[in-house]
Amino acid sequence: MRSRLVVPAFVVFLLLAAPLVVLACGGLFASVPIDQTAERMIFTVNGDGTITAVVGIGYEGDPAEFSWILPVPSVPSAVEVAETEDLDRLQDLTNRVFTPPPDYCAGASVNQGFGGGGGITYGAVGPYEYVVIDNDDPDELIAWLQDKGYAIPDAAVPVIEDYVAMGMKFLAMRLAPSAGVDDIQPVRVTFTADQPMIPIRLAAAASAEILPLYVWIFGDTRYAPENWADAEVDFTQIRGRIGHFAGGDTNYYGGTNYAWLLNDLQAEYDGKFFVTEYAMPTSDLPAQSVAESALLTEFTDRFAYVTRLYGQLAPEQMTLDPMFAPVADAANQPNRIDLTGIVDPLEFFGCTTRFFYDPDLEALLPNRTHIDDVDHNDFNLTGIDVRYPEGWTLQQVTDPNGSEYDSPVYVIAPEEVTWDTFAAFARGEETPPMMVFRATYSMDYYTTVYGTLVPDDLFELPDDRDSHQNFVLHVPGDWYYPTSVTFEILTTNEDWQANVEQYNAMLRYPKLYQFYRSATLRNTLYFGVLNMQNEAFPNYGVLVGYPEGWGERIENEEDQEFSDLYQFGGRITLSPFTVLLEPEVETEGSPHARLIPMTKFGFSTETRTFDVNALAEAYGLDAAVIEAAMPRVECRTWSTITEAVPYTTGERSGFIRFDFSGSGRPYLIDASVDTAQFAQYEELLRDIALSADNEPEYMCG
């Protein structure tokens, strides 16, 4: 029968008469597979020179094979059991929860949780039979265990010797003959000790790749690690579901990148760290939930304070047993973190490509080309930016027998490629490696680009080559027909393996959306409209480019008071607020760009009018210039509707341009600088204004 163990980090497992397979948490000697997903333990500092530890353990397998050993600093004065539900409840009550800032990307606010022989004492408790082994001779201890049928690996011997030298005792437990796996409970042990400590070193030989540690300490005050780092997560770096832009990484645990930041701390401190996720008076725990647990009721009655600590480490980092000490006059740490005012909402929700930038990836690919329009029939896509190795070139290949409605195929290769090259590749002939991509409507369900390049009888490739790592880049195109660009590498398997890092970089770079709105502007801000019927293909209300070194923010607190959602055409548009784009470092002339929502000034989708004078007064602009820039168009025309209009007002000069792409919720783009520096920034400011997508689309009501 296949068995599985789920064990706490500092528990030593020994299984009877079994060949050694793995060594796990605290020293697991087992013949069954181990599943260590999260290790949970509660300590109470009792105030009388004793510590109580509640250790959770899970096991699936033959009850006769179950046994484990727990190193303790003294012979226990009490061995009892607790309920698994007590640990579950305490974890739920203290899990870290993030309240995100308003979701200005899509206009919706959401709240979510972003969790040896010698002196021997025999006894029985709950489903267990146990022995306490007290022997100051490690050789005798190991010999006794081996004589009783336990397999002790060589790697565990020096650690056991060290623990014996420290005066540690060993509590060994097995299931009673009448007990089954379902009877397993957490164990509660009380022993004499000065402070809580986790003997983690025995876990190194067979721990999980990354072992999480959840520790709660009940006492009179807050506790912190004494010999490990008392680390803090930088909440300003918390990010949400980077999914508003299709290329963003949506694989965020719990709705945020919190787990990523913990991984960074693990690397920084070589695994020897704890983060305080909760530290509050026990009276702050919800009374109703506490009352449903006898253990938590006891602990909250006896102890004034509870601290929850989280750490994680790899086996090779388990070289020092963590100890914990009280921290006098320490501040409380609630588990609920409101990120409003801590994290830029636009950055938290992935409204900007600014933090997709990957310099290491770009260093692998020195050549770069920006394609302003990728044509598909009579529709154009927003520009595509690609990078590729030295000596490769970008080519456009057309099917000589194709239709005028076929989209062109783009090829990046170290040699010239023709349409016949694709068939040669399919026949197994020698051809250069190629990255190919082309545009399709989202309803075109091509399996690969390759499948559109060759006849059906050549679709099955020879065994030595493949269409590698194809992916689809969803981009906003026409309002009704969302468009996709599919990328893949055509090469031999041998060449793919030899250059896999380079090829993966070529495929990944377009998904970073660098220079998406302009060949000269690295970053793109996007927000405003989500097609709620098909979130994979969003139609964005605003897409505007801005340069490297600039950042984005909500211009003032007053704007954040606009929180009502605007419903239009089955879509959700964002609330009216002003976004400011500006250099992250103070710059002479204070260049910036503002995205000003005309919905704040009574814009009507029917008449396409608004209060021009109110807008001009609110933002220091000239009403006549705004009038001159206001387009005069018919409903649903598809041409670009306005150019960037230059202006000088007071001490500022720049360009304004209207963006009507947001489903009838237009914005005014104002890019300006102090007049004295206008000549220096003129081209940049014009590029920012022109980068905004300003086709009318759902212009009319």
Side-chain angles (χ1 to χ4, degrees):
M1 176 181 178
R2 179 175 175 83
S3 303
R4 192 162 64 94
L5 296 171
V6 185
V7 301
F10 60 96
V11 174
V12 182
F13 276 83
L14 302 118
L15 287 159
L16 287 169
L20 173 65
V21 177
V22 289
L23 174 70
C25 310
L28 167 60
F29 318 124
S31 61
V32 297
I34 306 305
D35 179 10
Q36 299 171 266
T37 55
E39 320 313 342
R40 303 184 299 176
M41 60 215 74
I42 302 172
F43 292 107
T44 67
V45 183
N46 300 322
D48 60 358
T50 66
I51 301 287
T52 297
V54 180
V55 184
I57 179 171
Y59 172 82
E60 297 177 6
D62 186 347
E65 290 186 344
F66 174 88
S67 64
W68 58 284
I69 238 183
L70 169 66
V72 290
S74 64
V75 174
S77 59
V79 179
E80 303 167 277
V81 292
E83 300 296 333
T84 301
E85 290 77 7
D86 294 328
L87 287 170
D88 294 342
R89 187 179 303 275
L90 183 57
Q91 182 164 348
D92 289 343
L93 294 177
T94 58
N95 277 338
R96 177 155 274 175
V97 178
F98 293 101
T99 301
D103 185 353
Y104 291 130
C105 292
S109 294
V110 292
N111 292 324
Q112 62 177 15
F114 286 106
I120 300 176
T121 304
Y122 294 88
V125 62
Y128 305 111
E129 294 176 345
Y130 70 87
V131 297
V132 178
I133 307 169
D134 180 7
N135 194 319
D136 58 7
D137 187 330
D139 293 334
E140 287 187 11
L141 170 63
I142 294 170
W144 186 90
L145 291 169
Q146 291 174 332
D147 183 59
K148 298 302 180 183
Y150 296 99
I152 308 297
D154 293 341
V157 171
V159 183
I160 292 175
E161 290 175 343
D162 195 22
Y163 282 138
V164 170
M166 293 169 58
M168 299 283 279
K169 321 304 177 189
F170 294 88
L171 171 65
M173 306 188 76
R174 298 187 181 124
L175 284 174
S178 60
V181 171
D182 292 340
D183 299 315
I184 291 175
Q185 298 174 253
V187 176
R188 174 174 173 171
V189 185
T190 301
F191 44 80
T192 300
D194 296 327
Q195 61 190 121
M197 183 270 280
I198 302 175
I200 193 72
R201 287 175 291 157
L202 266 177
S207 175
E209 182 178 353
I210 299 295
L211 182 66
L213 299 174
Y214 294 91
V215 180
W216 291 266
I217 302 177
F218 285 83
D220 294 331
T221 188
R222 177 171 169 172
Y223 273 72
E226 184 179 65
N227 57 343
W228 283 19
D230 186 9
E232 295 183 358
V233 171
D234 183 356
F235 294 141
T236 66
Q237 299 303 308
I238 296 289
R239 299 292 178 265
R241 301 153 300 153
I242 318 262
H244 288 289
F245 221 73
D249 192 335
T250 58
N251 188 25
Y252 268 29
Y253 173 79
T256 74
N257 65 332
Y258 180 60
W260 289 10
L261 299 180
L262 293 172
N263 291 342
D264 292 342
L265 291 176
Q266 179 185 347
E268 180 180 354
Y269 295 108
D270 191 32
K272 300 171 184 63
F273 80 98
F274 278 99
V275 170
T276 302
E277 295 187 318
Y278 183 82
M280 298 292 290
T282 54
S283 58
D284 277 48
L285 291 170
Q288 183 174 349
S289 294
V290 169
E292 295 174 359
S293 165
L295 183 76
L296 296 187
T297 298
E298 175 195 346
F299 286 174
T300 55
D301 287 345
R302 291 176 52 200
F303 303 102
Y305 209 89
V306 59
T307 306
R308 165 173 160 164
L309 301 146
Y310 174 83
Q312 61 183 50
L313 70 169
E316 65 272 14
Q317 296 169 330
M318 299 176 184
T319 59
L320 179 67
D321 296 330
M323 304 179 71
F324 305 91
V327 182
D329 302 322
N332 292 336
Q333 174 60 67
N335 61 322
R336 296 185 175 272
I337 309 299
D338 188 347
L339 297 175
T340 303
I342 297 177
V343 181
D344 176 0
L346 300 178
E347 193 162 357
F348 177 86
F349 282 105
C351 309
T352 170
T353 63
R354 178 161 58 89
F355 51 91
F356 292 172
Y357 172 53
D358 187 340
D360 294 335
L361 182 151
E362 294 190 9
L364 291 172
L365 307 169
N367 290 348
R368 168 183 167 252
T369 299
H370 183 83
I371 307 170
D372 288 330
D373 294 300
V374 178
D375 298 324
H376 187 203
N377 301 346
D378 55 342
F379 298 104
N380 294 329
L381 293 177
T382 304
I384 300 294
D385 212 74
V386 292
R387 297 188 77 97
Y388 44 93
E390 195 71 52
W392 292 44
T393 60
L394 175 68
Q395 308 163 48
Q396 185 172 318
V397 182
T398 304
D399 184 355
N401 301 314
S403 163
E404 62 178 309
Y405 297 104
D406 289 344
S407 60
V409 177
Y410 290 86
V411 183
I412 301 175
E415 302 174 16
E416 183 179 357
V417 171
T418 68
W419 194 263
D420 292 336
T421 307
F422 305 134
F425 175 77
R427 289 191 296 265
E429 299 173 14
E430 184 176 347
T431 58
M434 300 170 277
M435 183 169 86
V436 296
F437 57 99
R438 76 186 308 182
T440 63
Y441 287 145
S442 64
M443 65 277 292
D444 290 343
Y445 295 108
Y446 295 127
T447 303
T448 64
V449 172
Y450 165 76
T452 71
L453 306 180
V454 298
D456 290 344
D457 61 340
L458 292 178
F459 186 78
E460 293 296 329
L461 285 168
D463 292 340
D464 72 331
R465 59 195 58 206
D466 204 348
S467 168
H468 294 273
Q469 301 291 315
N470 73 87
F471 73 88
V472 177
L473 185 72
H474 301 304
V475 295
D478 159 54
W479 67 270
Y480 185 73
Y481 294 109
T483 316
S484 306
V485 182
T486 304
F487 296 77
E488 53 202 72
I489 300 287
L490 304 181
T491 190
T492 64
N493 298 331
E494 181 181 3
D495 179 62
W496 172 266
Q497 292 299 328
N499 299 285
V500 64
E501 183 179 16
Q502 173 182 278
Y503 292 149
N504 277 331
M506 292 173 66
L507 289 166
R508 183 169 182 264
Y509 176 76
K511 298 189 75 173
L512 304 183
Y513 290 93
Q514 303 297 287
F515 303 98
Y516 183 65
R517 295 302 303 172
S518 167
T520 61
L521 304 173
R522 176 181 287 276
N523 303 319
T524 300
L525 178 74
Y526 45 94
F527 58 90
V529 181
L530 283 178
N531 184 333
M532 302 306 289
Q533 283 71 43
N534 188 353
E535 291 188 355
F537 304 104
N539 284 326
Y540 298 103
V542 174
L543 282 161
V544 62
Y546 61 104
E548 189 170 0
W550 285 35
E552 67 293 316
R553 64 180 176 86
I554 306 303
E555 187 171 37
N556 56 60
E557 293 295 329
E558 181 182 351
D559 279 330
Q560 298 190 31
E561 296 176 4
F562 292 92
S563 59
D564 293 336
L565 300 181
Y566 282 71
Q567 300 290 339
F568 184 79
R571 290 169 165 81
I572 293 180
T573 66
L574 76 163
S575 308
F577 61 89
T578 303
V579 177
L580 185 67
L581 303 170
E582 61 185 354
E584 295 184 279
V585 177
E586 186 174 350
T587 304
E588 184 180 8
S590 303
H592 66 232
R594 294 183 294 190
L595 282 66
I596 304 170
M598 285 184 282
T599 49
K600 290 178 63 175
F601 303 98
F603 179 81
S604 167
T605 59
E606 295 182 359
T607 64
R608 301 185 299 283
T609 60
F610 59 96
D611 192 334
V612 174
N613 292 324
L615 188 154
E617 181 179 357
Y619 290 95
L621 298 172
D622 189 315
V625 175
I626 297 174
E627 286 279 6
M630 181 66 183
R632 305 287 185 257
V633 298
E634 298 298 326
C635 292
R636 300 186 187 279
T637 58
W638 299 107
S639 59
T640 299
I641 58 179
T642 179
E643 294 297 326
V645 176
Y647 75 90
T648 297
T649 302
E651 297 181 355
R652 302 284 294 185
S653 295
F655 297 90
I656 62 172
R657 183 170 183 251
F658 283 93
D659 179 349
F660 278 95
S661 61
S663 294
R665 307 300 178 191
Y667 276 72
L668 178 68
I669 314 300
D670 168 31
S672 67
V673 69
D674 290 351
T675 300
Q677 276 76 42
F678 180 69
Q680 176 185 350
Y681 287 96
E682 180 177 1
E683 183 176 353
L684 172 63
L685 298 175
R686 181 186 288 108
D687 285 349
I688 293 173
L690 290 174
S691 72
D693 181 10
N694 77 335
E695 291 186 358
E697 300 185 357
Y698 270 118
M699 178 74 175
C700 308

